[in-house]
PDB file of all heavy atoms in Angstrom:
ATOM      1  N   ALA T1230      -1.916 -33.022  18.105  1.00 80.00           N
ATOM      2  CA  ALA T1230      -0.630 -32.319  18.024  1.00 80.00           C
ATOM      3  C   ALA T1230       0.098 -32.759  16.765  1.00 80.00           C
ATOM      4  O   ALA T1230       0.003 -33.907  16.350  1.00 80.00           O
ATOM      5  CB  ALA T1230       0.204 -32.639  19.255  1.00 80.00           C
ATOM      6  N   GLY T1231       0.849 -31.825  16.197  1.00 80.00           N
ATOM      7  CA  GLY T1231       1.538 -32.126  14.938  1.00 80.00           C
ATOM      8  C   GLY T1231       1.034 -31.243  13.823  1.00 80.00           C
ATOM      9  O   GLY T1231       1.664 -31.085  12.800  1.00 80.00           O
ATOM     10  N   VAL T1232      -0.150 -30.652  14.061  1.00 85.00           N
ATOM     11  CA  VAL T1232      -0.630 -29.609  13.142  1.00 85.00           C
ATOM     12  C   VAL T1232      -0.271 -28.285  13.798  1.00 85.00           C
ATOM     13  O   VAL T1232      -0.575 -28.073  14.969  1.00 85.00           O
ATOM     14  CB  VAL T1232      -2.154 -29.706  12.937  1.00 85.00           C
ATOM     15  CG1 VAL T1232      -2.661 -28.498  12.161  1.00 85.00           C
ATOM     16  CG2 VAL T1232      -2.508 -30.989  12.201  1.00 85.00           C
ATOM     17  N   HIS T1233       0.411 -27.402  13.066  1.00 83.00           N
ATOM     18  CA  HIS T1233       0.827 -26.120  13.640  1.00 83.00           C
ATOM     19  C   HIS T1233      -0.382 -25.397  14.225  1.00 83.00           C
ATOM     20  O   HIS T1233      -1.469 -25.409  13.644  1.00 83.00           O
ATOM     21  CB  HIS T1233       1.492 -25.256  12.564  1.00 83.00           C
ATOM     22  CG  HIS T1233       2.111 -24.024  13.131  1.00 83.00           C
ATOM     23  ND1 HIS T1233       1.380 -22.907  13.445  1.00 83.00           N
ATOM     24  CD2 HIS T1233       3.385 -23.754  13.493  1.00 83.00           C
ATOM     25  CE1 HIS T1233       2.183 -21.989  13.960  1.00 83.00           C
ATOM     26  NE2 HIS T1233       3.407 -22.476  13.990  1.00 83.00           N
ATOM     27  N   SER T1234      -0.180 -24.766  15.379  1.00 83.00           N
ATOM     28  CA  SER T1234      -1.313 -24.134  16.068  1.00 83.00           C
ATOM     29  C   SER T1234      -2.010 -23.099  15.190  1.00 83.00           C
ATOM     30  O   SER T1234      -3.207 -22.863  15.324  1.00 83.00           O
ATOM     31  CB  SER T1234      -0.855 -23.497  17.375  1.00 83.00           C
ATOM     32  OG  SER T1234       0.079 -22.471  17.102  1.00 83.00           O
ATOM     33  N   GLY T1235      -1.263 -22.469  14.276  1.00 86.00           N
ATOM     34  CA  GLY T1235      -1.877 -21.482  13.376  1.00 86.00           C
ATOM     35  C   GLY T1235      -2.767 -22.115  12.329  1.00 86.00           C
ATOM     36  O   GLY T1235      -3.594 -21.447  11.714  1.00 86.00           O
ATOM     37  N   ASP T1236      -2.583 -23.434  12.088  1.00 89.00           N
ATOM     38  CA  ASP T1236      -3.395 -24.144  11.096  1.00 89.00           C
ATOM     39  C   ASP T1236      -4.490 -24.982  11.751  1.00 89.00           C
ATOM     40  O   ASP T1236      -5.247 -25.675  11.075  1.00 89.00           O
ATOM     41  CB  ASP T1236      -2.513 -25.099  10.270  1.00 89.00           C
ATOM     42  CG  ASP T1236      -1.625 -24.351   9.289  1.00 89.00           C
ATOM     43  OD1 ASP T1236      -1.872 -23.160   9.066  1.00 89.00           O
ATOM     44  OD2 ASP T1236      -0.685 -24.964   8.754  1.00 89.00           O
ATOM     45  N   ALA T1237      -4.514 -24.967  13.077  1.00 92.00           N
ATOM     46  CA  ALA T1237      -5.434 -25.845  13.791  1.00 92.00           C
ATOM     47  C   ALA T1237      -6.807 -25.205  13.926  1.00 92.00           C
ATOM     48  O   ALA T1237      -6.949 -23.981  13.904  1.00 92.00           O
ATOM     49  CB  ALA T1237      -4.869 -26.158  15.174  1.00 92.00           C
ATOM     50  N   THR T1238      -7.804 -26.059  14.087  1.00 95.00           N
ATOM     51  CA  THR T1238      -9.154 -25.615  14.426  1.00 95.00           C
ATOM     52  C   THR T1238      -9.184 -25.512  15.954  1.00 95.00           C
ATOM     53  O   THR T1238      -8.881 -26.491  16.643  1.00 95.00           O
ATOM     54  CB  THR T1238     -10.178 -26.653  13.943  1.00 95.00           C
ATOM     55  OG1 THR T1238      -9.928 -26.912  12.557  1.00 95.00           O
ATOM     56  CG2 THR T1238     -11.591 -26.169  14.143  1.00 95.00           C
ATOM     57  N   VAL T1239      -9.488 -24.334  16.481  1.00 95.00           N
ATOM     58  CA  VAL T1239      -9.422 -24.131  17.938  1.00 95.00           C
ATOM     59  C   VAL T1239     -10.832 -23.901  18.481  1.00 95.00           C
ATOM     60  O   VAL T1239     -11.622 -23.166  17.882  1.00 95.00           O
ATOM     61  CB  VAL T1239      -8.517 -22.926  18.289  1.00 95.00           C
ATOM     62  CG1 VAL T1239      -8.384 -22.782  19.801  1.00 95.00           C
ATOM     63  CG2 VAL T1239      -7.134 -23.097  17.667  1.00 95.00           C
ATOM     64  N   ILE T1240     -11.110 -24.550  19.607  1.00 96.00           N
ATOM     65  CA  ILE T1240     -12.445 -24.470  20.211  1.00 96.00           C
ATOM     66  C   ILE T1240     -12.326 -23.776  21.568  1.00 96.00           C
ATOM     67  O   ILE T1240     -11.452 -24.117  22.376  1.00 96.00           O
ATOM     68  CB  ILE T1240     -13.036 -25.892  20.405  1.00 96.00           C
ATOM     69  CG1 ILE T1240     -13.065 -26.626  19.055  1.00 96.00           C
ATOM     70  CG2 ILE T1240     -14.416 -25.841  21.017  1.00 96.00           C
ATOM     71  CD1 ILE T1240     -12.996 -28.118  19.167  1.00 96.00           C
ATOM     72  N   LEU T1241     -13.194 -22.770  21.778  1.00 93.00           N
ATOM     73  CA  LEU T1241     -13.166 -22.034  23.042  1.00 93.00           C
ATOM     74  C   LEU T1241     -14.610 -21.752  23.476  1.00 93.00           C
ATOM     75  O   LEU T1241     -15.405 -21.328  22.638  1.00 93.00           O
ATOM     76  CB  LEU T1241     -12.407 -20.715  22.836  1.00 93.00           C
ATOM     77  CG  LEU T1241     -12.123 -19.881  24.075  1.00 93.00           C
ATOM     78  CD1 LEU T1241     -11.029 -20.546  24.900  1.00 93.00           C
ATOM     79  CD2 LEU T1241     -11.684 -18.479  23.701  1.00 93.00           C
ATOM     80  N   PRO T1242     -14.991 -21.950  24.708  1.00 94.00           N
ATOM     81  CA  PRO T1242     -14.200 -22.606  25.751  1.00 94.00           C
ATOM     82  C   PRO T1242     -13.945 -24.082  25.382  1.00 94.00           C
ATOM     83  O   PRO T1242     -14.719 -24.683  24.637  1.00 94.00           O
ATOM     84  CB  PRO T1242     -15.106 -22.529  26.989  1.00 94.00           C
ATOM     85  CG  PRO T1242     -16.133 -21.468  26.660  1.00 94.00           C
ATOM     86  CD  PRO T1242     -16.296 -21.496  25.190  1.00 94.00           C
ATOM     87  N   ALA T1243     -12.853 -24.639  25.917  1.00 92.00           N
ATOM     88  CA  ALA T1243     -12.504 -26.034  25.639  1.00 92.00           C
ATOM     89  C   ALA T1243     -13.658 -26.935  26.063  1.00 92.00           C
ATOM     90  O   ALA T1243     -14.267 -26.729  27.110  1.00 92.00           O
ATOM     91  CB  ALA T1243     -11.231 -26.402  26.389  1.00 92.00           C
TER      92      ALA T1243
END
Side-chain angles (χ1 to χ4, degrees):
V1232 171
H1233 188 280
S1234 63
D1236 287 346
T1238 308
V1239 184
I1240 303 153
L1241 187 73

